[in-house]
Amino acid sequence: MNNTNFRKPVRKAVFPVAGLGTRFLPATKAIPKELLPVVDRPLIQYAVDEAREAGIEEFVFVTGRGKTAIVEHFDTAYELESTMTGRGKSLDVLDPTRIQPGSLVTVRQQVPLGLGHAVWCARAVIGDEPFAIFLPDELMYGSPGCMAQMVEAYNEVGGNLVSVLEVPMEEVSSYGVIAPGESKGNLTEVKGLVEKPKVADAPSNKIVSGRYILQPEVMDLLASQGKGAGGEIQLTDSMAKLIGEQPFHAVTFNGRRFDCGSKVGFVEATLAIALDREDMGEEVRKMAKKMLG
Ligand code: UTP
């Protein structure tokens, strides 16, 4: 197939936020995992900021029961704003929470059947355009952001892209793993994809890390995708079927990635970002040194 078919601009992004967040119970019993704050911003805010920077214009949230507060976060809080204005407080702090009217769309995933199913729930909004996917519990930290780096690569090679990073071989069984082909700079050809392989069967230690640019044809594959690893409908299984049909590459993110779906990863993100912040870094550094003796 001709590569020029797979180069339409990436304007839409899907944020699957319908998962149960069981690893963070009891914190996530009533509060969505995606609203847990790293310092003073909820996880979903970091993902939306990264999307905006990459030129995303339409934000599609795949939500479920108990997840409405995520949408509220991006709504106008009239009472809060008028009270703050009345007290002479600046509203600038709320700027990142403003999404243009009509640019935020929500669809429901009635039952959390897996990431592949969550993405498929957005098919009507995506239509026949390529789209980005952000898993907000993977916090990608760097400048330019991970998706901006991926869009730059997409403008070169088109097709489908995933972000990858290397982990110790013994950790691969928790992730989607690529079979790498040729590499050039931060781009690697993807020859195969497997979800949560046994260490002995893993084709590499390069894991897919929460950011994707996919062509719309993946939606047709997801429609008939059966259950995979963990009894869930896996995005990886449908993506794997695109290999050989359409260009497929991996981008190694030049930046830091924090797995905020895990408790230790969440603490790591909080500490790293607090240390990096101009308004508090010094103070946090002193406190951390003192705590560590
Ligand atoms: P995870 O598997 O990390 O999230 O999915 P989870 O299931 O909520 O968390 P644990 O494992 O029980 O602690 C990654 C992303 O995909 C979304 C989640 O909300 C999360 O942002 N997701 C996952 C869905 O939207 N639907 C699903 O069926 C599964």
Side-chain angles (χ1 to χ4, degrees), residues 194-265:
V194 48
E195 186 65 32
K196 300 187 176 61
K198 291 192 184 127
V199 174
D201 301 335
S204 75
N205 66 340
K206 286 179 189 281
I207 61 152
V208 179
S209 60
R211 299 292 182 273
Y212 312 73
I213 293 176
L214 298 177
Q215 297 299 315
E217 287 78 13
V218 76
M219 293 296 191
D220 299 332
L221 297 168
L222 285 169
S224 55
Q225 183 63 58
K227 288 180 181 172
E232 296 195 337
I233 297 175
Q234 296 288 357
L235 179 60
T236 304
D237 296 339
S238 287
M239 289 194 307
K241 294 176 188 157
L242 289 173
I243 298 168
E245 300 289 321
Q246 299 181 355
F248 213 123
H249 291 87
V251 176
T252 304
F253 173 46
N254 182 9
R256 296 171 78 180
R257 168 262 193 180
F258 303 107
D259 177 7
C260 290
S262 88
K263 286 173 231 186
V264 172

Side-chain angles (χ1 to χ4, degrees), residues 16-23 33-34 109 112-115 118 135-137:
V17 294
L20 298 177
T22 52
R23 283 171 291 169
K33 171 170 75 172
E34 297 79 8
Q109 184 190 27
L113 297 176
L115 178 60
L135 305 192
D137 53 357

